[in-house]
């Protein structure tokens, strides 16, 4: 669970959810928030917030509770210059932090969606992915993780229509509008992990 610097000032940490819960302290505020949640939802919620608290402590020396905007984007009260993004799949949680730059992170388990979703997100590669389900599922996860990371960085989420963002499975990195995105797992991985971030720090 060692943090990596994806780019100058862009910090990311990812870990298996069970490992995060076993090895990291869960903040009291997160425990209180998770009490009424179903067990599976609580597990993901607590794991990603334990990872957030560790990374925030390393990067900023604090671990402030998280709030959310009306659209669901996480924010850190009292740290307006610090941006945060959270992600989880069934087994993996991830957190990205950036000072003065929008940032988004997404993690996706390998697997093919239905034909309509596949054509929508990967119009140029849908046929190949469907014909090779194992490799295609891993490649789709890479595409969708990059698309989701971008709209999470803008704060739009699914309303930003991530499927319209052009991404190819083989690309290790790319650009969309004022964002750079980069894949953090190889094409053979059982899950995809992608981080997107704004090119410039605010005020520059």
């Amino acid at each position: 669970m060692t943090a990596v610097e994806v780019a100058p000032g862009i910090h990311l940490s990812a870990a298996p959810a069970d490992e995060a819960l076993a090895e990291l302290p869960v903040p009291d505020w997160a425990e209180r928030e998770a009490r009424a949640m179903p067990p599976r939802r609580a597990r993901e919620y607590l794991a990603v917030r334990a990872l957030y608290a560790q990374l925030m402590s390393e990067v900023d020396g604090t671990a402030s509770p998280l709030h959310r905007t009306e659209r669901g984007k996480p924010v850190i009260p009292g740290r307006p210059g610090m941006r945060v993004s959270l992600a989880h799949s069934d087994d993996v949680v991830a957190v990205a932090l950036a000072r003065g730059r929008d940032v988004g992170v997404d993690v996706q388990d390998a697997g093919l969606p239905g034909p309509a979703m596949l054509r929508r997100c990967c119009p140029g590669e849908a046929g190949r992915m469907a014909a090779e389900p194992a490799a295609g599922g891993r490649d789709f996860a890479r595409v969708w993780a990059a698309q989701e990371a971008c709209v999470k960085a803008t704060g739009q989420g699914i309303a930003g229509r991530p499927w319209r963002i052009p991404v190819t499975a083989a690309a290790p990195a790319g650009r969309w509008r004022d964002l750079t995105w980069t894949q953090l797992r190889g094409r053979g991985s059982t899950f995809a992990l992608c981080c997107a971030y704004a090119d410039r720090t605010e005020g520059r």
Side-chain angles (χ1 to χ4, degrees):
M1 286 178 286
T2 303
V4 298
E5 195 168 19
V6 179
I10 309 296
H11 304 273
L12 184 142
S13 186
D18 289 341
E19 183 178 315
L21 288 173
E23 298 185 11
L24 300 176
V26 176
D28 291 343
W29 53 267
E31 292 272 15
R32 291 192 296 271
E33 293 170 353
R35 283 173 186 163
M37 296 179 183
R40 181 174 177 178
R41 170 65 179 137
R43 170 180 169 271
E44 297 168 346
Y45 190 92
L46 294 172
V48 78
R49 280 156 180 78
L51 193 64
Y52 154 77
Q54 182 206 41
L55 183 61
M56 186 67 174
S57 295
E58 291 179 8
V59 172
D60 193 61
T62 65
S64 304
L66 290 170
H67 290 183
R68 286 188 176 272
T69 66
E70 291 182 0
R71 289 187 172 181
K73 184 177 177 65
V75 294
I76 307 172
R79 292 289 188 275
M82 184 68 74
R83 307 299 170 83
V84 60
S85 183
L86 311 176
H88 62 80
S89 67
D90 286 342
D91 298 313
V92 180
V93 292
V95 179
L97 292 171
R99 292 187 187 277
R101 287 205 263 180
D102 289 329
V103 66
V105 66
D106 197 62
V107 59
Q108 295 290 331
D109 293 322
L112 285 177
M117 182 70 168
L118 187 58
R119 289 192 300 270
R120 175 182 285 183
C121 298
C122 312
E125 300 184 278
R128 175 188 63 79
M129 290 181 184
E132 303 172 0
R138 293 190 294 270
D139 281 351
F140 175 80
R142 287 168 61 83
V143 171
W144 187 235
Q147 292 170 333
E148 282 273 24
C150 287
V151 295
K152 289 170 79 171
T154 66
Q156 295 176 295
I158 201 69
R161 299 182 179 183
W163 51 86
R164 292 190 172 186
I165 300 171
V167 176
T168 58
R175 290 176 56 81
W176 178 68
R177 296 183 180 176
D178 66 339
L179 299 174
T180 294
W181 57 263
T182 184
Q183 300 282 3
L184 297 163
R185 301 284 291 185
R187 287 182 73 179
S189 174
T190 57
F191 70 92
L193 175 64
C194 188
C195 183
Y197 51 90
D199 293 339
R200 294 187 179 184
T201 303
E202 291 177 356
R204 295 185 181 179

